[in-house]
Amino acid sequence: SMALEAGRVFLWPVDFTLNAYRFVLQYESVWIGFRNSVFYTFVGVVFEMTMTLLVAYPLSRRDFQWKKGYTMIFYMTTRISAGLIPGFLLKCSLGLYNNIWAILISGVISVSNIFIMRTAISSNIPGELFDAAMIDGANDRVQFFGIVLPLIWPTFVSFLTVNLAGIFTDQMHLHTMYGTGAPSKLWTFGYYLYVNSARSELVPDAASVPSFSVLSAMGLCMTAVMMPLVMGTRKLLRKYGPSVN
């Protein structure tokens, strides 16, 4: 603003106005980004946490026959990667290009999360507890939902909260596939901010690019939506989650 350029702003706002927030509500792409971000957040976090638990649980069991082999396979993926181009070609061959599921599937597995969750299970739950449960006739499904999930629920909630915030603000997967040319129907709010920030740096006087004040207002709006969403979900999960008793 003119006040900022003139050096009049030190701590308190000068010539305070909400015009930038009014402009935000006029952009259709903003509403598309909010809608997609909410959808990606809830569907993506369900997929990611489900897959993480389904992989981490057997890897934490000492009686799992192929534990070391599968652990090594997952570990090698953190050291050896096929790269972006083979991943892009694979998604295209599966018919996932310009498809919303390509974004969801891209981040469905995190090896680091699997290893941390596996360690949480193996370090917090003694093997003798599983042995006692087996003697009582509990199968793997009963052991998982009746023993494992309640005991690691605080860790699970922490992971889920972090993933909620990460997925809601994510722009990496769209940028990896499309650069700055993703179809508007797939845009997330974070991607919208990223693309327009990049364009404003490259073409600062372009009429189609939102001003810096509007982009700043969009960032604050994203935070205002994300924080209650994440903290509310965390509170509900802690209140209504499975009990150890």
Side-chain angles (χ1 to χ4, degrees), residues 3-159:
L4 184 62
E5 294 175 356
R8 294 164 53 199
V9 179
F10 176 70
L11 181 61
W12 300 106
V14 177
D15 300 331
F16 179 78
T17 177
L18 296 176
N19 288 335
Y21 296 94
R22 296 190 184 98
F23 279 115
V24 168
L25 302 179
Q26 296 176 6
Y27 288 98
E28 182 182 1
S29 299
V30 171
W31 296 105
I32 295 175
F34 268 125
R35 181 197 66 192
N36 289 342
S37 292
V38 172
F39 176 78
Y40 291 148
T41 296
F42 284 103
V43 177
V45 81
V46 169
F47 278 4
E48 182 171 349
M49 296 309 299
T50 300
M51 295 301 297
T52 299
L53 286 174
L54 289 178
V55 176
Y57 172 60
L59 292 181
S60 69
R61 296 294 300 266
R62 62 187 181 186
D63 56 349
F64 179 44
Q65 184 178 1
W66 303 103
K67 174 181 177 179
K68 292 184 178 179
Y70 279 108
T71 300
M72 181 58 64
I73 291 174
F74 281 108
Y75 174 76
M76 290 304 295
T77 64
T78 65
R79 294 291 177 259
I80 303 175
S81 174
L84 297 178
I85 295 178
F88 175 79
L89 295 176
L90 175 62
K91 293 172 185 176
C92 291
S93 65
L94 295 174
L96 295 177
Y97 191 73
N98 286 346
N99 192 309
I100 197 172
W101 293 104
I103 311 303
L104 294 172
I105 293 174
S106 297
V108 75
I109 282 289
S110 171
V111 176
S112 59
N113 287 352
I114 290 174
F115 285 165
I116 294 174
M117 193 66 71
R118 178 204 63 177
T119 303
I121 296 174
S122 59
S123 61
N124 293 328
I125 306 175
E128 291 77 9
L129 187 58
F130 291 118
D131 295 337
M134 293 179 62
I135 293 175
D136 291 337
N139 55 26
D140 287 328
R141 181 178 61 84
V142 174
Q143 292 178 40
F144 178 77
F145 288 103
I147 298 176
V148 174
L149 200 56
L151 289 176
I152 66 166
W153 190 250
T155 304
F156 175 83
V157 172
S158 298
F159 264 89

Side-chain angles (χ1 to χ4, degrees), residues 210-230:
S211 65
F212 179 77
S213 60
V214 174
L215 291 174
S216 300
M218 290 178 182
L220 291 174
C221 287
M222 181 171 66
T223 303
V225 173
M226 180 188 67
M227 290 302 295
L229 180 70
V230 171

